Amino acid sequence: MDERVKKAHTIIKRDYQNKILLDTLATKVGLSKYHLHRLFKAEFKETPSECLLRTRLELARHYLKLKTQMSMSQLATESGFSSLAVFSRAFSRRYGITPTEMLRQRELRLDSYDNQVQVEIVDLPEIRLYYEATNFLSKTLASSFDRARSRAKKLGLQGNGRMIGVMNHLSVHDSKQPLNYYAGIEINGKVFTSQLEDLLIIQKGKYATFNVTSEREAFIQELINLKYHWLDSSRYQIRELFALEEILDNSMRLRKIYIPVNRK
């Protein structure tokens, strides 16, 4: 895949809450808007604007399936829409029902929950990652981390060896849907302003954390179980629909998961 097209896709997934114009996006990745439009559609079978709209609507759908306590106006804003009316029209056109009707649908399926999982609430500082965009279910994740580390070094960015994957836009309503994934190397040295565009900044805050060794295909169901069996009876709720995983061993099976939360 053309790295410029991959970068455009990553910007859309990362900055979906902001206004993204094709001209601006093309300039950021070093292509003309016509060339970007053509290459992007050839690679992803949709245009950049269609990708942006789908990303926003899928995120809103995830929140609704989690029975979020946000108001519909808050949900529209959180998902990147300019108004509740714009959000409602777009959602109804895509899914055939209104956001309110989807909110009333049945709960997600629950599996038995392993009570041995120890969940803690921790405060994480800001984390800066140099990353390669890939797929959560990729069989070559280790190579993605290696390439991110190598490129960071070439740019003069100082890493501390910590490998942190970002699972972006968790597909809680469809456990078989591949996740967007950023294989990241934590950067802890000096960063110049010109280099910030290449970094993913994870904001500081409270996170629910626990260790897992499960297969990746089962991970979404684990999160659903955690939400209903642990978070719903706690003082916390999911703050944003992404998760971090710190890779703790060479096999990449032992991982520490971080879910952003806030108080109810």
Side-chain angles (χ1 to χ4, degrees):
M1 181 188 303
D2 190 305
E3 288 297 323
R4 296 167 296 180
V5 176
K6 180 184 282 189
K7 183 176 181 181
H9 188 267
T10 299
I11 290 173
I12 289 173
K13 294 294 184 177
R14 185 187 66 196
D15 300 339
Y16 64 90
Q17 289 180 318
N18 302 325
K19 187 175 183 179
I20 300 178
L21 300 176
L22 183 60
D23 285 350
T24 305
L25 185 61
T27 298
K28 284 185 175 181
V29 302
L31 289 170
S32 72
K33 65 178 182 180
Y34 303 107
H35 198 194
L36 174 61
H37 186 279
R38 181 176 62 82
L39 291 177
F40 196 99
K41 187 166 186 178
E43 185 65 47
F44 297 109
K45 313 306 179 188
E46 61 184 354
T47 67
S49 60
E50 290 169 343
C51 178
L52 177 60
L53 178 59
R54 178 179 55 77
T55 296
R56 289 169 170 171
L57 288 173
E58 286 183 351
L59 183 68
R61 188 183 181 196
H62 301 337
Y63 274 118
L64 290 169
K65 287 293 185 179
L66 283 175
K67 309 301 183 203
T68 176
Q69 296 183 5
M70 287 188 289
S71 69
M72 286 299 170
S73 295
Q74 290 174 314
L75 178 58
T77 300
E78 184 68 25
S79 302
F81 290 92
S82 57
S83 70
L84 176 58
V86 171
F87 164 57
S88 296
R89 284 196 299 270
F91 193 95
S92 297
R93 281 197 298 267
R94 185 170 187 87
Y95 297 117
I97 59 175
T98 67
T100 300
E101 289 170 337
M102 180 165 285
L103 183 63
R104 292 171 181 162
Q105 288 183 345
R106 66 181 176 85
E107 300 282 340
L108 293 160
R109 178 178 63 86
L110 298 180
D111 288 344
S112 60
Y113 186 62
D114 182 1
N115 290 319
Q116 300 303 312
V117 174
Q118 299 296 313
V119 183
E120 295 181 277
I121 301 297
V122 300
D123 288 292
L124 285 186
E126 179 183 275
I127 299 173
R128 295 176 296 177
L129 299 175
Y130 187 83
Y131 63 95
E132 175 171 289
T134 182
N135 190 292
F136 177 70
L137 298 178
S138 170
K139 302 300 184 183
T140 59
L141 279 183
S143 296
S144 293
F145 281 105
D146 288 342
R147 284 192 293 270
R149 183 183 297 105
S150 176
R151 290 170 184 166
K153 186 176 181 179
K154 288 180 181 178
L155 290 172
L157 296 169
Q158 181 180 345
N160 59 9
R162 196 177 179 200
M163 297 190 299
I164 299 178
V166 182
M167 295 166 275
N168 197 20
H169 297 175
L170 298 177
S171 302
V172 297
H173 63 269
D174 184 357
S175 61
K176 295 183 180 179
Q177 180 176 331
L179 301 180
N180 297 297
Y181 189 87
Y182 302 145
I185 302 300
E186 185 175 13
I187 303 301
N188 60 355
K190 184 176 181 180
V191 176
F192 296 101
T193 303
S194 60
Q195 297 172 315
L196 288 175
E197 180 64 31
D198 296 317
L199 298 182
L200 182 64
I201 310 298
I202 306 299
Q203 300 299 323
K204 66 180 181 180
K206 291 190 179 298
Y207 290 76
T209 180
F210 55 97
N211 288 354
V212 297
T213 57
S214 61
E215 297 293 337
R216 291 179 174 273
E217 289 78 2
F219 182 69
I220 286 297
Q221 189 60 51
E222 285 193 18
L223 291 186
I224 293 171
N225 291 338
L226 175 76
K227 191 269 181 186
Y228 285 107
H229 288 292
W230 193 88
L231 279 177
D232 281 1
S233 61
S234 75
R235 296 176 294 172
Y236 297 92
Q237 61 185 357
I238 293 176
R239 171 164 49 89
E240 295 181 65
L241 282 178
F242 75 91
L244 309 177
E245 64 169 1
E246 181 177 1
I247 309 301
L248 299 179
D249 67 357
N250 291 333
S251 72
M252 301 188 69
R253 285 185 59 86
L254 179 59
R255 295 109 64 201
K256 181 176 284 293
I257 307 300
Y258 298 89
I259 310 294
V261 296
N262 56 18
R263 287 185 178 273
K264 294 177 180 176

